[in-house]
Amino acid sequence: MVNVAYLYPWDVVGDPSAPSRLADLGVEAVALAASYHSTRAATPYHPAHRVLDVPYPAFYLPIRPASWSRLVPAVPTWTPADAYLQARDALKAVGLQVHAWTVLTHNSHLGAANPDLVVRNAFGDAYPYALCPSHEDVIEYCEALVRETLTLGEPDGLILEACGPMGFGHQTVHEKTSGADWTPADIDLLSLCFCKNCATRYPDQTRAVVRSAIDRTTTFSHHPEATATQKSASTARTATPPLSAEQALGDLADEVREARTTLTTTLRQRLIAVAKKSAPSVPITLHANPDPWSTGAFAPLPAGEPNADVLVANCWGDPSTDATRLTRLKTLTNEPQRVGAYVLALPPRPADPEVLADQLRTYSKAGATEYHLYHAGLASPQRLSALARALTLLP
């Protein structure tokens, strides 16, 4: 079992105590961010600061202009341009493996500068944080990101996150969307991309069906001029909303689902081909979800990926639901592929080693053979101590 602690470069650069602290955690490897989106991060251990604002996504390795085409990642100003290399060397000096945590299509900086390349919902609304891999420019950017990370970073492993189109959920800026009372089916439908390239992949009536399904709770019933009969009809129609995107799409579901998963599969396979060519011996980890309708950092993987070494499922929710997801992912693997559980060690999880250990056992029974621990730089000393203790409680 290889347990992996996730970390940002700025957690290590400028903090001489960081490597030994990570080594004492009891993990074998660190997932060190090589490319990452914007964030506001706590730095509870760093001698120079306690909060770091990261205003835009950046690449934490030197940028060689000739290696990029239309899309070029930004250089960080809050940490050295070679922060990944500095952190890598410090971590390897204490015996830790360093895996390159590579975030792909989640990039608000490039999306805002290139609105023709982002995900758009059925109403035409753009999601600037979400590059759409239906565009060749986006795929080429992701290929360059993988190639440069492996060539310059020389990691012990490669971790691919957001290896597909991001969806509606983002949780950035000041999120003000919960009051719309959209159902999980609505969120999935709002995550379908209708950019100029994606729209042609679906049956002609798909956009209209999606818009109608999302608007079913507002048509007539909330319009000031609606008649009592119209409101009554609308209430009856919306009393039992669809439980899933598939139900909302009806006969269109199979074709729409196939279009989405094919898009993700194309990106994933091209990136794996680049990785195998650039660094044949470096193992590849995918953040994945067996649900074909999934969006976000854990891209849909309904049929597995034989050329990946590790498939990691998100385990930040209800442990029983997470375990079900892990079990489904396990059925998609072939020997010697492994399944990892992406475990949250931050709130609302308690800083209790017994509780954390019990959750880890649940994930192990579901098929996980390694734990990916989020996040060794953000966790307080109490939480980090609880996590270290939880690992020692396991068989």
Side-chain angles (χ1 to χ4, degrees), residues 48-324:
H49 45 71
R50 285 294 169 268
V51 180
L52 191 68
D53 277 302
V54 177
Y56 54 82
F59 188 48
Y60 294 95
L61 286 156
I63 293 177
R64 304 185 296 180
S67 299
W68 305 88
S69 52
R70 174 179 172 181
L71 301 180
V72 182
V75 178
T77 58
W78 49 91
T79 199
D82 64 346
Y84 179 93
L85 297 177
Q86 292 188 34
R88 179 203 66 187
D89 292 347
L91 293 166
K92 288 182 75 68
V94 296
L96 290 166
Q97 298 177 33
V98 177
H99 297 190
W101 179 16
T102 309
V103 176
L104 297 160
T105 63
H106 185 181
N107 195 306
S108 56
H109 172 75
L110 293 178
N114 301 274
D116 59 313
L117 301 181
V118 303
V119 170
R120 290 180 180 271
N121 65 28
F123 297 85
D125 307 317
Y127 299 161
Y129 53 84
L131 297 173
C132 180
S134 68
H135 301 275
E136 185 64 21
D137 285 330
V138 173
I139 295 180
E140 289 180 357
Y141 160 74
C142 292
E143 287 179 325
L145 199 57
V146 167
R147 188 182 301 112
E148 289 296 278
T149 296
L150 290 171
T151 301
L152 300 177
E154 299 181 322
D156 298 303
L158 176 68
I159 299 175
L160 299 180
E161 180 174 305
C163 192
M166 298 286 289
F168 174 79
H170 186 225
Q171 283 148 28
T172 187
V173 195
H174 288 245
E175 191 74 12
K176 303 290 183 180
T177 56
S178 61
D181 290 334
W182 283 317
T183 67
D186 292 330
I187 299 303
D188 285 343
L189 293 172
L190 283 168
S191 297
L192 290 175
C193 183
F194 287 84
C195 71
K196 65 179 183 179
N197 285 4
C198 285
T200 60
R201 297 170 181 262
Y202 310 134
D204 292 340
Q205 65 270 43
T206 305
R207 186 191 299 268
V209 169
V210 170
R211 293 175 64 148
S212 177
I214 293 169
D215 282 350
R216 66 189 178 277
T217 55
T218 56
T219 303
F220 292 135
S221 61
H222 299 292
H223 196 285
E225 297 180 2
T227 67
T229 300
Q230 289 171 329
K231 289 181 179 181
S232 177
S234 178
T235 299
R237 180 166 58 86
T238 60
T240 55
L243 299 177
S244 68
E246 294 211 9
Q247 290 174 316
L249 290 168
D251 293 341
L252 305 178
D254 288 347
E255 196 167 345
V256 173
R257 182 179 60 248
E258 179 65 21
R260 294 188 70 253
T261 56
T262 297
L263 187 65
T264 302
T265 299
T266 298
L267 174 64
R268 183 179 68 249
Q269 291 180 346
R270 285 184 58 171
L271 297 184
I272 290 176
V274 167
K276 295 293 186 183
K277 182 178 180 180
S278 301
S281 63
V282 172
I284 298 171
T285 296
L286 293 176
H287 284 190
N289 191 325
D291 182 358
W293 296 99
S294 67
T295 58
F298 290 73
L301 191 75
E305 175 49 68
N307 292 311
D309 298 275
V310 186
L311 306 181
V312 175
N314 184 279
C315 294
W316 288 16
D318 173 71
S320 61
T321 302
D322 295 338
T324 299

Side-chain angles (χ1 to χ4, degrees), residues 316-336:
W316 288 16
D318 173 71
S320 61
T321 302
D322 295 338
T324 299
R325 187 182 303 112
L326 282 167
T327 299
R328 289 177 60 194
L329 202 60
K330 177 65 175 177
T331 65
L332 303 176
T333 62
N334 299 305
E335 294 293 340

